[in-house]
Every structure is written in C-alpha cells, then in structure tokens.
Amino acid sequence: MSKTKIVAEKGAQNVVISREFNSPRELVFNTYTDPTTVPEWWGPKRYKTTVDRMDVKKGGIWRFIHRDVEGNEYAFNGVYHEVNSPERIINTFEVEGYPEFIGLVTINLEKMPGGKTKFIENTVYQSVEGRDGMIKAGMSEGAIELLDRLEELLDSIQNV
Amino acid sequence: MNAATFSALAEPNRVNILELLRDIGELTVGEIAQRLELRMPQSSKHLHVLAKAGLVNVKADANRRIYSIRQEPFEEMDQWFESFIRDKEEQFNRFEELLMKKQTNENRNE
C-alpha cells in the first residue's frame, strides 16, 4: 500500500496530499527547507535535480531544475509567502512555461505522538481544469488511459 | 486493470458480499444470503456477476458451491490506484530515507 494519500474532490480546485513521517517535526522542517539536500529527494529519481535558487524566507525565491537522461530540462519556481518554522510553509509553485498551472501551496506539519510528523500539502490551482491537468501530469500513461476508460464506463452506466 | 472489475463492483450488495468473503473466507450461497438478509436467487445472481468478473473463486463440494475472494484483481487495483501518485510517493520515499539517515547521524553525535 502507498503511504501517500491524495484527495482531489471532483470539481474542486485543490489537491491535498498527506504523508506521515517517523521523525520529529523540527527534523522534517529543517530537512525540507535545506537546499543542500534537495537534490537527494526532490522529484522522482529518474530526474537529476539541481537547486538554482532557494531563499527560504518571506518573499524569497526558489527555482529547481530537473534534467532527464536525454538532457531535457524542466524548471520549477515559486515565491515563499510564509515560512514559520517548524509548522508551516506557504509558497507558489509554477512549472516554467505553464503559468496557467500556477498553484498556491500550503504545507502544514502536524506534531504526532511518538515523535512522528504528519505532512499535509494543500495546493490550490487557478481552475479545476488546471488542477486536473497537474494531477494527470503526475500519473503514468497507463493510468491516464485507464482513467479515461473508467470515465467512459461510468458515463455509459449512468446513461443506461 | 479491467473496466469490467469496476462494473461488477458498482452495486452495493456485491460490495457487501466481497467484504463478507474477505472477513470470513469461504461461504456458500445460502450462508451469504442469510448473513446479508438477501433472497437466495438474488445472492446467486450477484455471485454469478462477481465470478464472471474474476473477483471470486467457486469451488464445488458435493452439491454445494463454496465462494471465496480471488486476490489477484484486488492486487491489480491496488497497483493501479498507486500509479496515480507514483511520482509523489517516490519523492516522499526519498525524503524519508534522508530523514532516517539524518536521524541516525544525530543519534550518533549525541
């Protein structure tokens, strides 16, 4: 079973992604905001991540670059709106070249018993279509095809 | 993943039957009908749909038919659902590895 939970209600503009970590909140916060370790974890492993800018404070800019095996580059950037150690970070998230998909990300770190931390990321996009596009971008091709087929099936059941 | 699986699941009684089989293991049509307060023909009909979609196994024992869950389609569904958040899951797994590494180092330095 996947440890990451994703909730994207139909017709809404936001996505909530959550995950529990077996580490205290301070460590999660410090690791999350440490530019030197970002290349070790940010994004999927098949991309090489470099940190172009990461100024973790209100008004500070972050910009990360993904490089795939063919040498194609994809850049992501945003501005920090709130940095409140160790509980909250609010920032924008933009895939360069797709400004219509910009999202406002609120990350809350909740202290859990036993030195655990619940990481909750709520991203609000500018439109439902923009949100759905971003979710699809994170899926495998096979999953998208199956989702389309499922949608067709549900439509056909409802129209009976 | 097969869309027929979802079609077979899209009925509350059939979901109840699957949950019952999951919790108990093996049951006959009569036992299922009794526990869910369904009529026998109704239960048979639902079990037939579930068997046709490959969600349950049927075993003949004398003149009784015994039903149980077939695990494979549920494993497939699980993998399918996971494929939606594959990238995010991978990222968080890597983040967790790093946390574990840091935690070990901190404990060592104490």
Side-chain angles (χ1 to χ4, degrees):
Chain A
M1 266 305 275
S2 170
K3 290 181 190 168
T4 307
K5 299 260 174 298
I6 176 164
V7 178
E9 277 173 33
K10 203 180 155 94
Q13 280 168 248
N14 71 323
V15 187
V16 180
I17 293 172
S18 57
R19 166 103 176 206
E20 208 175 285
F21 293 109
N22 267 325
S23 300
R25 193 155 71 149
E26 287 70 21
L27 183 65
V28 176
F29 188 92
N30 293 338
T31 307
Y32 195 85
T33 51
D34 177 2
T36 63
T37 54
V38 165
E40 287 181 49
W41 67 269
W42 203 78
K45 217 171 183 165
R46 62 184 182 278
Y47 299 109
K48 190 181 175 297
T49 303
T50 45
V51 175
D52 178 31
R53 296 175 74 170
M54 187 172 172
D55 189 13
V56 193
K57 64 170 195 223
K58 185 173 173 65
I61 288 173
W62 67 271
R63 185 171 184 266
F64 303 161
I65 301 159
H66 266 165
R67 188 177 293 118
D68 66 18
V69 280
E70 281 110 42
N72 299 313
E73 286 189 352
Y74 310 91
F76 308 85
N77 71 63
V79 178
Y80 293 102
H81 285 250
E82 187 187 340
V83 178
N84 184 359
S85 173
E87 60 203 63
R88 189 162 44 251
I89 304 165
I90 301 176
N91 62 266
T92 52
F93 175 93
E94 180 184 344
V95 182
E96 280 178 23
Y98 301 93
E100 68 274 27
F101 286 139
I102 195 166
L104 183 65
V105 187
T106 302
I107 293 165
N108 279 302
L109 299 179
E110 282 179 12
K111 207 171 171 170
M112 306 282 286
K116 293 181 185 182
T117 303
K118 192 167 184 191
F119 178 102
I120 307 159
E121 180 191 273
N122 183 7
T123 307
V124 185
Y125 292 96
Q126 285 170 297
S127 66
V128 177
E129 295 72 29
R131 183 209 58 175
D132 291 349
M134 285 302 286
I135 294 176
K136 279 199 171 181
M139 290 183 200
S140 68
E141 260 176 56
I144 293 171
E145 197 197 316
L146 283 160
L147 192 73
D148 289 343
R149 279 168 57 198
L150 178 64
E151 214 164 21
E152 276 172 35
L153 174 79
L154 292 174
D155 283 345
S156 68
I157 291 173
Q158 277 165 4
N159 293 333
V160 165
Chain B
M1 252 321 291
N2 191 335
T5 311
F6 288 105
S7 177
L9 286 171
E11 205 285 324
N13 286 314
R14 291 203 282 271
V15 173
N16 292 339
I17 292 175
L18 289 170
E19 287 181 343
L20 191 64
L21 290 172
R22 175 200 63 193
D23 296 341
I24 295 183
E26 293 186 333
L27 289 169
T28 62
V29 188
E31 288 165 337
I32 290 167
Q34 195 188 6
R35 282 170 189 266
L36 297 179
E37 295 175 5
L38 297 172
R39 286 174 295 113
M40 282 274 272
Q42 204 187 354
S43 304
S44 292
K45 206 182 80 191
H46 287 316
L47 283 162
H48 181 74
V49 175
L50 290 171
K52 212 175 145 204
L55 291 165
V56 296
N57 283 316
V58 197
K59 186 169 76 180
D61 175 37
N63 57 353
R64 296 187 313 166
R65 292 158 75 76
I66 299 169
Y67 291 86
S68 60
I69 287 267
R70 218 183 125 246
Q71 203 127 30
E72 292 83 353
F74 294 94
E75 282 165 10
E76 268 177 46
M77 263 186 276
D78 192 35
Q79 282 169 14
W80 186 67
F81 288 125
E82 282 193 17
S83 68
F84 289 92
I85 46 169
R86 193 192 49 186
D87 283 1
K88 210 64 185 179
E89 176 82 348
E90 198 184 322
Q91 167 169 317
F92 284 137
N93 286 343
R94 296 175 77 197
F95 186 69
E96 192 165 50
E97 269 173 44
L98 185 65
L99 288 174
M100 289 299 116
K101 217 163 70 186
K102 283 199 169 189
Q103 224 163 327
T104 316
N105 287 344
E106 272 185 13
N107 290 342
R108 221 173 267 153
N109 294 338
E110 266 168 21

